Structure formats: structure tokens, C-alpha cells
Coordinates of all heavy atoms in Angstrom, one line a residue:
T1241 N 64.4 93.3 -66.7 CA 64.4 92.2 -67.6 C 63.1 91.3 -67.6 O 62.9 90.6 -68.5 CB 65.6 91.2 -67.1 OG1 65.3 90.8 -65.8 CG2 66.9 92.0 -67.2
G1242 N 62.3 91.5 -66.6 CA 61.1 90.7 -66.5 C 61.4 89.2 -66.2 O 62.4 88.9 -65.5
G1243 N 60.6 88.3 -66.6 CA 60.8 86.9 -66.3 C 60.6 86.5 -64.9 O 61.1 85.5 -64.4
S1244 N 59.8 87.3 -64.1 CA 59.6 87.0 -62.7 C 58.2 86.3 -62.5 O 57.3 86.7 -63.2 CB 59.6 88.3 -61.9 OG 59.2 88.1 -60.6
K1245 N 58.1 85.4 -61.6 CA 56.8 84.8 -61.2 C 56.0 85.8 -60.4 O 54.8 85.7 -60.3 CB 57.1 83.5 -60.4 CG 57.7 82.4 -61.3 CD 57.8 81.1 -60.5 CE 58.4 80.0 -61.3 NZ 58.6 78.8 -60.6
A1246 N 56.7 86.8 -59.7 CA 56.0 87.7 -58.8 C 55.3 88.8 -59.6 O 54.3 89.3 -59.2 CB 57.0 88.3 -57.9
L1247 N 55.9 89.2 -60.8 CA 55.4 90.3 -61.6 C 55.3 89.9 -63.0 O 56.3 89.2 -63.5 CB 56.2 91.6 -61.4 CG 56.3 92.2 -60.0 CD1 57.5 93.2 -60.0 CD2 55.0 92.9 -59.6
T1248 N 54.3 90.3 -63.7 CA 54.3 90.0 -65.2 C 55.3 90.9 -65.9 O 55.8 91.9 -65.3 CB 52.9 90.3 -65.8 OG1 52.6 91.7 -65.8 CG2 51.8 89.5 -65.0
D1249 N 55.7 90.6 -67.1 CA 56.6 91.4 -67.9 C 56.0 92.8 -68.1 O 56.8 93.8 -68.1 CB 56.9 90.7 -69.2 CG 57.8 89.5 -69.0 OD1 58.3 89.2 -67.9 OD2 58.1 88.8 -70.0
D1250 N 54.7 92.9 -68.4 CA 54.1 94.2 -68.6 C 54.2 95.0 -67.3 O 54.4 96.2 -67.4 CB 52.7 94.0 -69.0 CG 52.5 93.6 -70.5 OD1 53.5 93.7 -71.2 OD2 51.4 93.2 -70.8
E1251 N 54.0 94.4 -66.2 CA 54.1 95.1 -64.9 C 55.5 95.7 -64.7 O 55.7 96.8 -64.3 CB 53.6 94.3 -63.7 CG 52.1 94.0 -63.7 CD 51.7 92.9 -62.8 OE1 52.6 92.1 -62.3 OE2 50.5 92.7 -62.6
C1252 N 56.5 94.8 -64.9 CA 57.9 95.2 -64.8 C 58.2 96.4 -65.7 O 58.8 97.4 -65.3 CB 58.8 94.1 -65.1 SG 58.9 92.7 -63.9
R1253 N 57.7 96.3 -67.0 CA 58.0 97.3 -68.0 C 57.3 98.6 -67.6 O 57.9 99.7 -67.8 CB 57.5 96.8 -69.3 CG 57.9 97.7 -70.5 CD 57.4 97.1 -71.8 NE 57.9 95.8 -72.0 CZ 57.2 94.7 -72.0 NH1 55.9 94.8 -71.8 NH2 57.7 93.5 -72.2
F1254 N 56.1 98.6 -67.0 CA 55.4 99.8 -66.6 C 56.2 100.5 -65.5 O 56.4 101.8 -65.6 CB 54.1 99.4 -66.0 CG 53.2 100.6 -65.5 CD1 52.5 101.3 -66.4 CD2 53.2 100.9 -64.2 CE1 51.7 102.4 -65.9 CE2 52.4 101.9 -63.7 CZ 51.7 102.7 -64.6
V1255 N 56.7 99.8 -64.5 CA 57.5 100.5 -63.4 C 58.8 101.0 -64.0 O 59.3 102.1 -63.7 CB 57.7 99.5 -62.3 CG1 58.5 100.2 -61.2 CG2 56.4 99.0 -61.7
W1256 N 59.5 100.1 -64.8 CA 60.8 100.5 -65.3 C 60.8 101.7 -66.2 O 61.6 102.6 -66.1 CB 61.4 99.3 -66.0 CG 62.9 99.4 -66.4 CD1 63.4 99.5 -67.6 CD2 63.9 99.5 -65.4 NE1 64.8 99.6 -67.5 CE2 65.2 99.6 -66.2 CE3 64.0 99.4 -64.0 CZ2 66.4 99.6 -65.6 CZ3 65.2 99.5 -63.4 CH2 66.4 99.6 -64.2
D1257 N 59.7 101.8 -67.0 CA 59.6 103.0 -67.9 C 59.4 104.2 -67.1 O 60.0 105.3 -67.5 CB 58.4 102.8 -68.8 CG 58.6 101.8 -70.0 OD1 59.8 101.4 -70.2 OD2 57.7 101.4 -70.7
L1258 N 58.7 104.2 -66.0 CA 58.5 105.4 -65.2 C 59.8 105.8 -64.5 O 60.2 106.9 -64.4 CB 57.5 105.1 -64.1 CG 56.0 105.0 -64.6 CD1 55.1 104.6 -63.4 CD2 55.5 106.3 -65.2
M1259 N 60.6 104.8 -64.2 CA 62.0 105.1 -63.6 C 62.9 105.7 -64.6 O 63.9 106.3 -64.2 CB 62.6 103.8 -63.0 CG 61.8 103.3 -61.7 SD 62.4 101.7 -61.2 CE 64.1 102.0 -60.8
G1260 N 62.6 105.6 -65.8 CA 63.4 106.3 -66.9 C 62.9 107.7 -67.1 O 63.5 108.4 -68.0
Q1261 N 61.9 108.2 -66.4 CA 61.3 109.5 -66.7 C 61.4 110.4 -65.4 O 60.6 111.4 -65.3 CB 59.8 109.3 -67.1 CG 59.6 108.5 -68.3 CD 58.1 108.2 -68.6 OE1 57.3 109.1 -68.4 NE2 57.8 107.0 -69.0
V1262 N 62.2 110.0 -64.5 CA 62.3 110.8 -63.2 C 62.8 112.3 -63.6 O 63.7 112.5 -64.4 CB 63.4 110.2 -62.3 CG1 63.7 111.1 -61.1 CG2 62.8 108.8 -61.8
Q1263 N 62.1 113.2 -62.9 CA 62.4 114.6 -63.3 C 63.9 114.9 -63.0 O 64.5 114.4 -62.1 CB 61.5 115.6 -62.5 CG 61.7 115.5 -61.0 CD 60.6 116.4 -60.3 OE1 59.5 116.2 -60.5 NE2 61.1 117.3 -59.4
D1264 N 64.4 115.9 -63.7 CA 65.9 116.1 -63.8 C 66.5 116.4 -62.5 O 67.7 115.9 -62.2 CB 66.2 117.2 -64.8 CG 66.0 116.8 -66.2 OD1 65.9 115.6 -66.5 OD2 66.0 117.7 -67.1
D1265 N 65.9 117.1 -61.6 CA 66.5 117.5 -60.3 C 66.5 116.4 -59.3 O 67.0 116.5 -58.2 CB 65.9 118.8 -59.7 CG 64.5 118.5 -59.2 OD1 63.8 117.5 -59.6 OD2 64.0 119.4 -58.4
Q1266 N 66.0 115.2 -59.7 CA 66.0 114.0 -58.9 C 66.8 112.9 -59.5 O 66.7 111.7 -59.1 CB 64.6 113.5 -58.5 CG 63.8 114.5 -57.7 CD 62.4 114.0 -57.3 OE1 62.1 112.8 -57.4 NE2 61.6 114.9 -56.9
T1267 N 67.7 113.2 -60.4 CA 68.5 112.2 -61.1 C 69.9 112.2 -60.6 O 70.9 111.8 -61.3 CB 68.5 112.3 -62.6 OG1 68.9 113.6 -63.0 CG2 67.1 112.1 -63.2
W1268 N 70.1 112.7 -59.4 CA 71.5 112.6 -58.8 C 71.7 111.1 -58.3 O 70.9 110.2 -58.6 CB 71.6 113.5 -57.6 CG 70.4 113.6 -56.7 CD1 69.4 114.5 -56.8 CD2 70.1 112.8 -55.6 NE1 68.4 114.3 -55.8 CE2 68.8 113.2 -55.0 CE3 70.7 111.7 -54.9 CZ2 68.2 112.7 -53.9 CZ3 70.1 111.1 -53.8 CH2 68.9 111.6 -53.3

């Protein structure tokens, strides 16, 4: 969701987008 003082919204989005691309055999 972003909105954090610790991380910018772009930083949150960068990490979150990568977490949506985890290779299939690690999506258990």
C-alpha cells in the first residue's frame, strides 16, 4: 500500500512487484 515514512511509495512498489514474480517452484 505504501504511505510509509520509512520507505517511499516507489521503493515499496519495487519490492512488491518482485514478490509477484517469484519462480513457480517457490510459490508454495
Side-chain angles (χ1 to χ4, degrees):
T1241 63
S1244 168
K1245 293 181 180 179
L1247 297 166
T1248 69
D1249 288 356
D1250 284 345
E1251 289 166 350
C1252 289
R1253 191 176 302 110
F1254 179 82
V1255 180
W1256 193 244
D1257 285 349
L1258 290 176
M1259 291 171 63
Q1261 300 172 42
V1262 171
Q1263 64 186 52
D1264 286 346
D1265 69 342
Q1266 292 181 18
T1267 57
W1268 40 268

